[in-house]
Amino acid sequence: MNNPRKPVVVVTRKLPDPVEARMGELFSVELNREDRPFSRAKLADAMARADVLVPTLTDTIDAALIDEAGPNLKLIASFSNGIDNVDVDAAARKGITVTNTPNVLTEDTADMTMALVLAVPRRLAEGARLLAGNEPDSWQGWSPTWMLGRRIWGKRLGIVGMGRIGTAVARRAKAFGLLVNYHNRHRVNPQTEAELEATYWDSLDQMLARVDIVSVNCPSTPATYHLVSARRLALLRPEAYIVNTARGDVIDEAAMIRCLEEDRIAGAGLDVFENEPAINPRLLELAKAGKAVLLPHMGSATLESRIDMGDKVIINIRTFFDGHRPPNRVLPGRV
């Protein structure tokens, strides 16, 4: 009986143990035990000899790397929801299929978005730092005017991008008494709009000028690069807050920093950054001053979501090598 050759699968980062164990059973897998990002040269080497590359969102798989890929590379099974790190069009020209892991991060990312919506106006990070610092006389007990933040109940939330995550954020926001407003390429269906009591704004500019908290939940694409631009940031009222758990480059980060430094907006809650993992030192100073809450891109960082993502990667690989279309194939021209 002939045993078919197991596909050679190269994984660029450490994945949860159950995912790696299952991959080891099914494929001839090369794992990244050190969990250090691959250099460009190491990516090129992996793509020259693998049947399948499993990159993550921090691996830039551009046209030049794809053009130099070996003849065996037939599938890029990205361990990510977004796919802006892979040149899907170049892969298609080379005959390489690209897949991703959609629809598993929605609830976890929405939870983190809501956490930031609460944390920034209510000064949660400042309060936690004050007690953790354990400095003498840092807290003398309750006071009527100590650590005053802003109420969120009854405030207007403006969601930029009403996809799955934006809709999940809206459901949480409604439960907290926020008034849901949203801007999206397409209006959501009437049933969802009625359920959320959501107000649709065809004009992003008009919505930004009228809301108290902005939540950025749209994907990173060429069309959304600096969507929240310097001009649009200037539309926000001085009492407004901005939260971003999507991608850093959707906001003009330098312009946002200037707005925070000049008190033209009240605060920011950020889980993503334009040049991450590098963080602008001015943002770190703003965080120390209590004007920003900064998190290290952990919006979807739950064990459950990472295992779910790994399961999708495995299903995509198995389906592809069984001769069928992977369920999460990314088509060229859709990114």
Side-chain angles (χ1 to χ4, degrees):
M1 181 177 179
N2 292 326
N3 291 321
R5 181 179 71 89
K6 290 183 177 181
V8 175
V9 177
V10 178
V11 183
T12 67
R13 295 299 295 266
K14 178 77 175 71
L15 302 182
D17 290 343
V19 176
E20 291 189 342
R22 184 60 175 150
M23 283 185 167
E25 294 170 358
L26 297 170
F27 316 124
S28 177
V29 65
E30 298 180 21
L31 301 172
N32 183 347
R33 300 295 187 187
E34 296 181 344
D35 197 27
R36 294 177 181 171
F38 276 18
S39 66
R40 187 174 179 85
K42 196 165 183 179
L43 278 173
D45 175 67
M47 294 171 69
R49 55 191 174 76
D51 298 306
V52 183
L53 182 75
V54 180
T56 67
L57 60 88
T58 59
D59 300 307
T60 299
I61 314 297
D62 57 25
L65 278 174
I66 290 168
D67 288 344
E68 295 300 318
N72 289 336
L73 185 66
K74 297 301 180 185
L75 177 64
I76 297 173
S78 188
F79 185 90
S80 64
N81 182 56
I83 204 68
D84 46 293
N85 59 310
V86 179
D87 191 325
V88 179
D89 292 335
R93 290 193 298 270
K94 185 84 171 181
I96 299 171
T97 297
V98 178
T99 62
N100 65 340
T101 60
N103 309 333
V104 296
L105 312 179
T106 299
E107 302 304 329
D108 294 324
T109 304
D111 284 347
M112 190 62 79
T113 303
M114 199 64 213
L116 286 171
V117 168
L118 290 164
V120 182
R122 293 304 306 272
R123 304 175 67 178
L124 300 187
E126 288 179 80
R129 280 199 304 270
L130 184 144
L131 294 184
N134 197 29
E135 296 179 6
D137 302 323
S138 60
W139 185 47
Q140 297 297 311
W142 183 87
S143 165
T145 57
W146 179 243
M147 289 293 292
L148 296 182
R150 292 296 186 98
R151 174 186 294 164
I152 69 161
W153 184 89
K155 295 297 193 296
R156 293 161 294 188
L157 175 68
I159 297 173
V160 182
M162 195 72 156
R164 290 183 178 87
I165 293 174
T167 301
V169 170
R171 289 196 173 96
R172 288 158 173 76
K174 183 174 182 290
F176 275 86
L178 285 154
L179 306 176
V180 176
N181 299 261
Y182 76 97
H183 169 79
N184 201 48
R185 286 185 302 170
H186 306 290
R187 193 165 183 168
V188 301
N189 67 65
Q191 292 82 2
T192 300
E193 207 169 82
E195 173 202 343
L196 300 172
E197 300 177 19
T199 299
Y200 172 67
W201 293 86
D202 179 63
S203 167
L204 177 58
D205 289 6
Q206 291 186 22
M207 185 185 78
L208 292 176
R210 289 166 173 80
V211 297
D212 303 293
I213 303 168
V214 177
S215 177
V216 177
N217 299 109
C218 60
S220 174
T221 69
T224 62
Y225 177 78
H226 283 190
L227 178 67
V228 184
S229 60
R231 180 187 66 79
R232 285 182 166 137
L233 285 163
L235 299 172
L236 295 173
R237 297 178 302 109
E239 300 83 12
Y241 300 88
I242 190 162
V243 168
N244 188 8
T245 57
R247 286 288 190 271
D249 62 7
V250 177
I251 299 176
D252 183 337
E253 190 173 278
M256 178 186 62
I257 289 171
R258 289 194 297 271
C259 288
L260 290 164
E261 291 173 336
E262 297 166 8
D263 294 324
R264 289 190 278 126
I265 57 175
L270 308 173
D271 187 46
V272 290
F273 307 91
E274 190 160 358
N275 299 300
E276 62 180 70
I279 308 297
N280 190 310
R282 292 160 64 193
L283 270 179
L284 297 174
E285 289 302 315
L286 287 163
K288 291 177 184 176
K291 293 185 177 182
V293 175
L294 310 180
L295 299 176
H297 202 149
M298 53 190 285
S300 62
T302 67
L303 179 60
E304 293 89 346
S305 76
R306 296 294 187 252
I307 290 176
D308 288 345
M309 291 170 72
D311 288 343
K312 280 186 175 283
V313 168
I314 291 168
I315 290 168
N316 283 322
I317 297 171
R318 291 200 66 182
T319 305
F320 180 84
F321 282 96
D322 283 343
H324 304 292
R325 176 173 171 160
N328 304 123
R329 182 185 179 193
V330 180
L331 297 175
R334 296 291 182 88
V335 180

